[in-house]
Amino acid sequence: RMIQELCPDGVEFRKLGEVAKCYSGATPKTSNREYWEGGTIPWMNSGEVNLGRVFSTQKFITPLGYNSCSTKMVPAHTVVVALAGQGKTRGTVAITEIELCTNQSLCAIEVNSDLLNSYFLWHYLRGQYNTLRRISSGDGTRGGLNQDMIRNFEIPVPPMEVQRKIVE
């Protein structure tokens, strides 16, 4: 509603993949203690999206654990969406307040900061929870979101000054 008020002439909608980089992480083998014990790299699991804003993680991995799998470092102020979960988790959105890496059940959405304010995206996607849940339970999806669904999800992209005003 606020977007309509601030952009009376309408607003452009774009696919997330056109204005952001979307990727997921991975989990180092949990049975290998060298990947976890004494770890210093924050590692976010999908349940932590329920925090909304992620200032810390429950688990940490070691550099050896990081290098053992395809997880990636996610910059601070990146939006993350839970891809899986039959409970309330799937479709839940959070924003990172620290640099961290994630498991494979989370999709990080790293915005093109010239086009999109990450906090605007976070607020917008939080309001799209039911829509994300609905698209993730369609034919053949087995009740999960995937990176293609996130990349193809259309979002409004108002001018940056409007995005900042909405975030305020």
Side-chain angles (χ1 to χ4, degrees):
R1 190 175 317 142
M2 187 178 219
I3 293 172
Q4 293 167 336
E5 292 170 9
L6 294 171
C7 299
D9 296 329
V11 65
E12 179 183 17
F13 276 74
R14 307 266 303 263
K15 291 180 179 180
L16 259 174
E18 296 173 355
V19 294
K21 184 168 62 169
C22 303
Y23 53 93
S24 59
T27 302
K29 192 172 187 176
T30 54
S31 61
N32 189 330
R33 292 167 39 161
E34 291 181 320
Y35 294 167
W36 298 90
E37 284 184 7
T40 57
I41 301 168
W43 180 83
M44 182 179 174
N45 69 54
S46 53
E48 290 174 302
V49 292
N50 294 306
L51 297 171
R53 295 175 71 191
V54 180
F55 291 93
S56 63
T57 59
Q58 294 173 349
K59 295 186 177 180
F60 296 82
I61 59 174
T62 65
L64 192 63
Y66 179 84
N67 292 327
S68 76
C69 65
S70 60
T71 194
K72 299 163 188 69
M73 290 309 294
V74 174
H77 316 299
T78 297
V79 175
V80 290
V81 179
L83 299 174
Q86 296 308 309
K88 67 178 184 170
T89 301
R90 185 180 76 246
T92 302
V93 181
I95 192 162
T96 64
E97 298 293 350
I98 58 169
E99 184 181 45
L100 50 74
C101 57
T102 71
N103 74 9
Q104 61 281 0
S105 296
L106 292 169
C107 180
I109 306 170
E110 196 175 325
V111 302
N112 175 337
S113 59
D114 292 337
L115 300 173
L116 202 56
N117 177 302
S118 58
Y119 285 89
F120 168 79
L121 178 63
W122 175 56
H123 286 296
Y124 180 78
L125 289 179
R126 285 173 60 197
Q128 296 299 306
Y129 174 77
N130 289 328
T131 304
L132 289 167
R133 299 275 299 184
R134 196 167 34 257
I135 66 169
S136 72
S137 57
D139 291 340
T141 64
R142 296 186 357 221
L145 287 164
N146 61 46
Q147 289 181 50
D148 284 339
M149 290 174 181
I150 300 297
R151 285 185 190 104
N152 289 312
F153 193 80
E154 290 196 348
I155 60 160
V157 184
M160 190 59 76
E161 59 272 10
V162 171
Q163 293 180 47
R164 284 192 203 105
K165 191 172 284 192
I166 290 170
V167 169
E168 288 173 14

